[in-house]
Amino acid sequence: MTAPVLSVRGLTVSYDGGAPAVSGYDVDLPPGTLTVVLGRNGAGKTSTLRGITGFLSHESGASSGTVAVQGVVVRRPSPLRLSRLGVGLVSERDKVFANMGVGEQLRLVADRKADLDEVCAFFPRLEERRDVRAGLLSGGERQMLATALVLLRRPKALLVDELSLGLAPGVVGELVGYLRRLADERGLAILAADQSVHAMLGVADFVQVMDSGAVVASGPLADLDVDAVLDTYLGRNGR
Ligand SMILES: Nc1ncnc2c1ncn2[C@@H]1O[C@H](COP(=O)(O)OP(=O)(O)OP(=O)(O)O)[C@@H](O)[C@H]1O
Ligand SMILES: [Mg+2]
């Protein structure tokens, strides 16, 4: 198997010195693959992504465990360090500047015009909406912009939190299609935490199910007993 872009071992996250919100989390993300983390509200998905990328001190949180990028252990992971190593996070909410134009935000982050053109070619709707304030975008377009802003930093691994939040099923289907293409066409290693169980299971290579801060089921999608997982951990009505 291809060496993972990102490996995490024994990640534990806690807030305010309390009981762990995440404990003993492990993952390997090979290039060109999409791993989906499922779990109910409060299961620990966001905390896991924050712990990997070092976005915890802003939340009075702390983590322990090992994060390695392309086989090299990252000492004292921080958002800046992880970003420089090629690990990008599309966070759960407040991802774009509502009062700034779409094109302006993209240009702010892009180092090279070629990157900007590439990202606009990938998300044609952003190209069309270039002169519009981000606050006037639809929910799905906002998620595209948030993803594009992270892609402009040319990550090798992409961590995506609740891309589907508050969106209609058709839009969610379009967005998860983009994730699949980013893995297939650009070789990105993707870890996506989401509550849209059915949409995510339609595109995932690997699945992890979290409950009370621990991974309770994991493996290649083909090996997963989807019905049992839905019944036991996610409730029958997984969106
Ligand atoms: N900033 C914080 N300070 C204190 N506790 C927090 C903080 N963020 C999360 N927690 C707690 O950590 C646990 C895991 O929350 P987390 O947000 O990681 O879950 P989640 O799986 O992402 O849930 P959701 O599906 O609602 O986004 C919960 O008990 C939550 O209350
Ligand atoms: Mg969350």
Side-chain angles (χ1 to χ4, degrees), residues 2 6 23 42 45 48 79 103 108-109 111 115 125 131 134 138 159 163 166 171 187-188 199 204 217 232:
T2 325
L6 182 76
S23 50
K45 304 179 298 295
T48 298
L108 195 66
V109 176
D111 285 335
D115 294 340
R125 281 220 259 154
D131 299 324
S138 71
L159 278 46
L163 199 62
V171 181
L188 281 175
T232 311

Side-chain angles (χ1 to χ4, degrees), residues 13-36:
V13 174
S14 53
Y15 296 99
D16 300 308
V22 177
S23 50
Y25 177 86
D26 297 339
V27 79
D28 284 318
L29 301 181
T33 61
L34 175 46
T35 301
V36 170

Side-chain angles (χ1 to χ4, degrees), residues 15-16 21 40-47 50 59 92 162 195:
Y15 296 99
D16 300 308
R40 297 176 204 261
N41 290 117
K45 304 179 298 295
T46 295
S47 301
R50 281 186 193 144
E59 305 276 344
E92 196 172 24
E162 298 291 348
Q195 292 213 38

Side-chain angles (χ1 to χ4, degrees), residues 38 201 206-209 217-229:
L38 305 174
L201 290 180
F206 303 100
V207 179
Q208 296 184 314
V209 182
S218 68
L221 177 64
D223 296 353
L224 195 73
D225 184 342
V226 173
D227 281 340
V229 164

Side-chain angles (χ1 to χ4, degrees), residues 3-179:
V5 177
L6 182 76
S7 298
V8 178
R9 292 289 176 274
L11 180 75
T12 295
V13 174
S14 53
Y15 296 99
D16 300 308
V22 177
S23 50
Y25 177 86
D26 297 339
V27 79
D28 284 318
L29 301 181
T33 61
L34 175 46
T35 301
V36 170
V37 185
L38 305 174
R40 297 176 204 261
N41 290 117
K45 304 179 298 295
T46 295
S47 301
T48 298
L49 300 188
R50 281 186 193 144
I52 295 171
T53 46
F55 274 100
L56 276 171
S57 53
H58 320 76
E59 305 276 344
S60 64
S63 67
S64 60
T66 308
V67 175
V69 180
Q70 295 187 309
V72 179
V73 172
V74 185
R75 292 188 191 285
R76 283 178 282 115
S78 69
L80 183 61
R81 199 159 286 164
L82 267 292
S83 174
R84 283 186 175 153
L85 289 169
V87 180
L89 173 67
V90 183
S91 62
E92 196 172 24
R93 53 179 79 90
D94 300 332
K95 305 169 184 185
V96 299
F97 296 107
N99 290 325
M100 198 187 272
V102 170
E104 198 181 352
Q105 289 186 60
L106 291 168
R107 283 195 300 277
L108 195 66
V109 176
D111 285 335
R112 302 180 307 190
K113 181 160 184 313
D115 294 340
L116 190 62
D117 292 345
E118 197 183 337
V119 117
C120 287
F122 192 77
F123 293 113
R125 281 220 259 154
L126 293 183
E127 175 70 40
E128 289 164 20
R129 310 281 269 156
R130 223 166 164 149
D131 299 324
V132 168
R133 279 194 295 123
L136 297 176
L137 295 177
S138 71
E141 288 167 346
R142 268 194 216 208
Q143 297 291 53
M144 288 176 203
L145 176 57
T147 308
L149 289 167
V150 176
L151 289 175
L152 283 171
R153 288 175 222 137
R154 281 170 271 156
K156 298 182 192 76
L158 190 65
L159 278 46
V160 189
D161 200 1
E162 298 291 348
L163 199 62
S164 72
L165 199 67
L167 300 176
V171 181
V172 174
E174 186 182 359
L175 290 171
V176 300
Y178 277 120
L179 289 186

